[in-house]
Amino acid sequence: MATQVHSSSTAPTSAPAPTLAAADPELWRYMQAELERQDSTLELIASENHVSPAILQAMGSVLTNKYAEGYPGARYYGGCQFHDKIEQLAIDRAKQLFGCKFANVQPHSGAQANAATFMALLNAGDTFASLVLSDGGHLSHGMKINFSGKYFKPVHYPLVYDAAHPRFEQIDYDAARQLCLEHKPKMILCGYSAYPRTIDFARFRAIADECGALLMADIAHIAGLVAGGAHPSPFPHAHVVTTTTHKTLRGPRGGLILTNDEEIAKKIDKAVFPGMQGGPLMHIIAAKAVCFGEDLKPEFKEYAKQVVVNAQALAAALTEKGYRLTSGGTDNHLMLVDLRAKDANLTGADAEKWLEAAGIISNKNGIPNDPRPPKVTSGLRLGSPALTTRGFKAPQMKLVATWIDRVLTSAGDAKVATQVRGEILALTKQFPLPH
Ligand SMILES: *Cc1c(COP(=O)(O)O)cnc(C)c1O
């Protein structure tokens, strides 16, 4: 019996199958170039990470060949006995990792997980509450042209916008409560894409109970911190929790839905399949199982803690150099830099472009009450998860701050970019990607 299921190592009976490099040299060249790009640059996009070779192996496997519509023990196709085991393993590990009773591991992405949750728990036209989208929310939290804004009615709660307030640019829980009491949403959504502070799930649950709403926590960004004990858990407060598996959880691209409520779990399962999706991506579900297994190990707690330490080291070093961070800093894996405090003319778009030329990959991002349009912005979002995976610690994060500052104060000077690029290349050689 074959012991390997990886497609490149199955033993053929006739001529050996050509490797991808030989079968499709053009595609292979692009893939090699991308590997080289990832290896030689600094990945500071807060939603990205580097997965382990074990996760890559599960994704690149013959599991992709199978239709397994349905759930373990209740499939619409024959030949699913091993797929049942694989999906059950992913479910059991997800439940253990987050300390909850039910898990659906089939959503193809975070947005799909959210769509299925809306479909399970709301009717078209129902009202839900979420953060003002331009203050750090996700497009699946009520953007007009997204399913969430087109078929449901979002009302938005704000941040604290008074600069004199001690919680400036943090969630305004009192205003959220007022808004929810007024509009009586059926569901309150918390969890964000560009929010650097701890979320008070208990406080949101109290608001939900007071106005008779369900609480949905979308922990797409912070799931790895939750799993590793570096951010409070949404359980037992949230009725339902959605997440991606590819951000701080450091798994394959995908989604996950969790709950402790059996009735909600049944509705979620139906909404994912057959409500939203057809056949599950079984190679990705296998990779999720590998990811959850990795995240259950003690080393992952160390990783999660280091992600926060590294973000705070970068935040402190940038602040020292005269950059303003929204809300004054970070409690988690990311920060939003308000570039105007350093240079009134500097835009997020320019910063992103200049940094990329030097080998520092980040993204422009609107800041609360940003006067510039979304394609320009006054902010830059920076995150520590990927660099922490490479083994960076606080001293390297301080170096990163120095490089960012040199590039941003050079007005895009090519000589400075080349110099910084060279120094980054030397450092990345000492911190290889997971291998
Ligand atoms: C990234 C993200 C998602 C969507 O994930 P995709 O896998 O890109 O669909 C959903 N919610 C939040 C808060 C996110 O940050």
Side-chain angles (χ1 to χ4, degrees), residues 158-187:
L159 300 177
V160 173
Y161 301 122
D162 171 8
H165 195 286
R167 297 189 65 265
F168 178 45
E169 292 170 329
Q170 300 192 36
I171 292 162
D172 189 337
Y173 292 98
D174 293 329
R177 176 175 171 271
Q178 285 303 326
L179 177 98
C180 292
L181 286 173
E182 182 184 335
H183 292 274
K184 296 274 181 224
K186 200 159 168 189
M187 192 157 75

Side-chain angles (χ1 to χ4, degrees), residues 35-107:
L35 175 62
E36 174 61 25
R37 186 194 70 82
Q38 290 186 21
D39 198 32
S40 66
T41 56
L42 299 180
E43 185 53 75
L44 279 145
I45 294 177
S47 50
E48 295 188 13
N49 215 325
H50 302 291
V51 302
S52 70
I55 287 171
L56 288 178
Q57 197 175 358
M59 280 193 276
S61 70
V62 296
L63 296 175
T64 194
N65 293 341
K66 188 85 195 83
Y67 252 111
E69 282 180 344
Y71 290 101
R75 306 282 189 184
Y76 289 80
Y77 290 83
C80 284
Q81 66 267 42
F82 304 120
H83 291 267
D84 282 0
K85 298 271 188 222
I86 288 164
E87 184 168 350
Q88 196 57 52
L89 196 59
I91 291 169
D92 292 343
R93 286 177 180 172
K95 283 164 27 181
Q96 194 188 340
L97 188 61
F98 289 96
C100 63
K101 292 194 190 131
F102 303 96
N104 188 306
V105 298
Q106 293 193 5

Side-chain angles (χ1 to χ4, degrees), residues 106-118:
Q106 293 193 5
H108 300 333
S109 74
Q112 299 279 86
N114 287 348
T117 303
F118 275 56

Side-chain angles (χ1 to χ4, degrees), residues 109-111 114 138 140-141 191-193 218 220-221 244 246-247:
S109 74
N114 287 348
H138 188 260
S140 62
H141 297 181
Y192 318 100
S193 299
D218 175 353
H221 258 264
T244 60
H246 50 274
K247 297 179 185 175

